[in-house]
């Protein structure tokens, strides 16, 4: 009986997680490609891209007062925060155990796809620093998943 209840609760948890994941992906792609803010090209501004690692991160750190808090926060922390849920959802949704390398590779691959789409379509700005920050966000999300999972497992034992 205890096993049946546990399996039913696990199925319900997976369904809720799947619905949240779908909602997250819809919001992520909306903000990355269709939202009016968040790096969309302003009228009259020429499209640009960055393929030099850490160039934009250093620029935003160095000129954060000139660029303003919102621009600094969105470009540095926003990229990390945006991909944290992905690092949390991947191990939560997959039936088999996954390791950190797999999660980071998935986050890197999705972020690379986003940057390539931005380069080809000229929606947003293709930036290798976004790839770095997004992947780091996925890793942080995975670490949060591990902490919560271990805490929850410790409570059950």
């Amino acid at each position: 009986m205890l096993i049946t209840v546990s399996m039913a609760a696990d199925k319900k948890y997976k369904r809720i997680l799947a619905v949240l994941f779908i909602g997250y992906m819809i919001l992520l792609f909306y903000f990355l490609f269709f939202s009016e803010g968040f790096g969309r090209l302003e009228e009259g501004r020429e499209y640009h891209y960055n393929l030099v690692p850490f160039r934009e991160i250093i620029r935003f750190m160095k000129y954060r007062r000139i660029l303003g808090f919102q621009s600094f926060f969105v470009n540095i922390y926003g990229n990390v925060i945006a991909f944290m849920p992905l690092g949390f959802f991947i191990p939560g949704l997959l039936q088999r155990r996954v390791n950190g390398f797999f999660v980071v590779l998935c986050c890197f691959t999705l972020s690379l796809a986003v940057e390539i789409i931005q380069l080809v379509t000229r929606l947003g700005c293709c930036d290798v620093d976004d790839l770095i920050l997004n992947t780091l966000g996925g890793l942080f999300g995975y670490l949060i998943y591990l902490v919560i999972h271990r805490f929850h497992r410790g409570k059950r034992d």
Side-chain angles (χ1 to χ4, degrees):
M1 178 68 177
L2 185 61
I3 293 172
T4 308
V5 171
S6 176
M7 288 174 58
D10 194 42
K11 276 187 173 185
K12 185 177 180 179
Y13 168 75
K14 294 267 190 212
R15 262 191 243 123
I16 291 169
L17 208 57
V19 169
L20 290 173
F21 176 70
I22 291 167
Y24 161 72
M25 292 302 289
I26 290 168
L27 285 173
L28 181 67
F29 279 91
Y30 169 76
F31 283 115
L32 290 172
F33 297 112
F34 303 110
S35 174
E36 290 298 316
F38 302 106
R40 289 319 130 245
L41 287 178
E42 298 153 14
E43 209 170 303
R45 185 173 164 219
E46 192 175 308
Y47 180 79
H48 72 279
Y49 57 89
N50 172 40
L51 301 178
V52 179
F54 301 105
R55 175 188 282 168
E56 288 297 300
I57 293 172
I58 291 168
R59 184 175 75 86
F60 273 94
M61 297 294 262
K62 187 175 182 180
Y63 298 109
R64 67 183 171 272
R65 287 191 179 95
I66 296 167
L67 295 169
F69 176 78
Q70 182 178 357
S71 181
F72 170 76
F73 186 87
V74 167
N75 281 284
I76 301 299
Y77 295 108
N79 282 303
V80 173
I81 292 167
F83 273 68
M84 285 176 71
L86 186 62
F88 184 87
F89 283 127
I90 291 170
L93 287 170
L94 296 179
Q95 297 294 339
R96 60 183 171 84
R97 288 189 169 254
V98 297
N99 62 26
F101 178 77
F102 178 79
V103 172
V104 168
L105 182 63
C106 288
C107 294
F108 175 83
T109 303
L110 179 63
S111 182
L112 180 61
V114 165
E115 296 304 319
I116 290 170
I117 291 168
Q118 287 179 333
L119 180 64
V120 171
T121 63
R122 295 181 175 227
L123 290 171
C125 295
C126 176
D127 188 347
V128 70
D129 290 349
D130 290 351
L131 183 62
I132 293 166
L133 294 168
N134 294 343
T135 304
L136 187 63
L139 175 62
F140 288 161
Y142 176 67
L143 295 174
I144 291 169
Y145 170 83
L146 286 178
V147 168
I148 291 170
H149 183 69
R150 287 199 176 126
F151 176 76
H152 185 290
R153 192 174 59 196
K155 283 180 79 172
R156 283 191 299 178
D157 295 339

